[in-house]
Amino acid sequence: MKAYLDNAATTKLSAAARQAMEPYYDGIYGNPSSLHSWGQAASAALRGARERVAACLGADPEEIYFTSGGSEADNQAILSAAMRGAETGRKHIVSTAIEHHAVLHMLAALEKDGFEVTLLPVEPETGLVSPAALEAALRDDTTLVTVMAANNEIGTVQPVEAIGELCRSRKIPFHSDAVQAAGHIPVNVREMNVDMLSLSGHKFHGPKGVGALYCRQGVPLRAMLLGGAQERNRRAGTENIPGILGMAAALEEAVAELPTLCLRIRDYRDQLIEGLGKIERSHLNGDRVKRLPGNVHF
C-alpha cells in the first residue's frame, strides 16, 4: 500500500471543491465583469465566494482579494508595504530566516533596491521566533514585519498573535504567510492582529492556481498587475471563477472539520513522533506541541 505523505506541498482536490467548480466551466461561464446575464451570474458567484472565504477567516468580504496563489499574495503584500515605506523614508523590513521563498526572494529583491532587511533566527530547539528578539529588531524606519503563521518544513506554529499585538502597538504593518496554516489550524485575522495574510487553495484540498490575500481595511494595497478594474482595482485580469469557487468550498469544509479532524490527525502525529523518537540518535525538529497537527520532521 502506498501512503501519500507530502500534503505540505499539495493536497488532493476534495469532492466538495470539484462539485463547486464544475458548473462554472461550461454552464455559468460568463465573465464576471460583463453586464449581461451570463456575466452577472458569474459575478454573483464571485461575490458569494468572497463572502464565504471572509467568514472562514473572520474578515469582511471587502478585505479579501483573490490571487493566483500564495506566492502572488505574499509578493503583493510585501511590495505594497515597501512602496508605501519608500514614500515616507522607511525602508527597513523585519522577517525570519525560515520564511517561504515567496517571501525571502521578494525581500532579497528589495535589498537590491536599497531596503534593509533583518532576518531573525529561530530558537534552535523549538524553531520559534522570539517576540522579544523581534521587538528589539524594530526601528523607527521599519515599514513592515512579515512572519509566517506556520512553517512548511518543520511545522512550527509561530506566536503570530503576540507579534501582531506588538506591531499594532508600534503602528507597523504586519503580514503573515498563512499558506500552511489556513484549513489546518484556526485562522482568525482579528485575533491574530494581522494587517495582511496570504493563503493558497491547493494546501487545503482546493485547486491549484488560486489563492487569496486578506488586507485589513485602511491598509494601503498596491496593484501588481495592471489592466482591468478587477478585484477593486487591486489585481487586473479576469477572475478564475471555477478555481475561486473550489477554493471557497474547500476552505469551508476544512474549517468545519477542524474541531474533529485536527484532533484525529494530531493523535496520529503524536504516535508517529513517539515511535520515531525511539530510534537511536533520532531528533525531532521544531517544538513538540506548537506545531501543525499534520507535520512530523525528524
Side-chain angles (χ1 to χ4, degrees), residues 49-217:
R50 200 182 308 278
E51 292 170 353
R52 292 158 61 194
V53 170
C56 288
L57 302 176
D60 295 329
E62 56 268 26
E63 296 175 316
I64 301 299
Y65 299 86
F66 293 119
T67 69
S68 65
S71 293
E72 182 189 332
D74 284 343
N75 274 240
Q76 186 172 12
I78 294 169
L79 193 58
S80 293
M83 293 172 68
R84 176 68 173 172
E87 292 171 352
T88 57
R90 302 167 65 195
K91 301 187 72 173
H92 176 238
I93 299 174
V94 177
S95 189
T96 80
I98 64 168
E99 298 296 308
H100 189 274
H101 282 160
V103 170
L104 293 177
H105 287 178
M106 173 54 77
L107 295 180
L110 287 171
E111 282 186 304
K112 294 179 181 178
D113 284 338
F115 281 79
E116 187 177 348
V117 176
T118 299
L119 293 181
L120 298 172
V122 293
E123 298 293 336
E125 290 303 313
T126 64
L128 300 173
V129 64
S130 164
L134 189 143
E135 183 175 17
L138 298 179
R139 307 186 329 205
D140 290 340
D141 63 338
T142 301
T143 191
L144 175 69
V145 171
T146 175
V147 176
M148 61 178 14
N151 185 264
N152 53 304
E153 295 185 16
I154 61 174
T156 48
V157 177
Q158 300 296 335
V160 173
E161 293 85 351
I163 294 171
E165 186 175 357
L166 171 64
C167 291
R168 192 67 55 84
S169 70
R170 297 283 293 269
K171 294 183 171 57
I172 298 172
F174 175 43
H175 164 254
S176 184
D177 177 338
V179 166
Q180 292 294 326
H184 300 282
I185 59 176
V187 171
N188 184 293
V189 293
R190 308 297 183 208
E191 295 174 359
M192 294 167 71
N193 301 308
V194 294
D195 296 300
M196 294 177 285
L197 180 139
S198 311
L199 58 86
S200 183
H202 74 105
K203 302 297 186 178
F204 44 80
H205 301 283
K208 298 175 180 66
V210 62
L213 172 63
Y214 157 79
C215 184
R216 185 169 62 84
Q217 289 190 61

Side-chain angles (χ1 to χ4, degrees), residues 244-274:
I244 289 169
L245 268 291
M247 178 176 68
L251 184 59
E252 278 187 325
E253 184 176 51
V255 170
E257 293 179 347
L258 272 180
T260 54
L261 190 60
C262 255
L263 290 175
R264 182 160 59 88
I265 294 178
R266 191 177 66 189
D267 287 343
Y268 293 152
R269 177 201 71 187
D270 292 344
Q271 291 177 38
L272 188 56
I273 289 174
E274 184 178 352

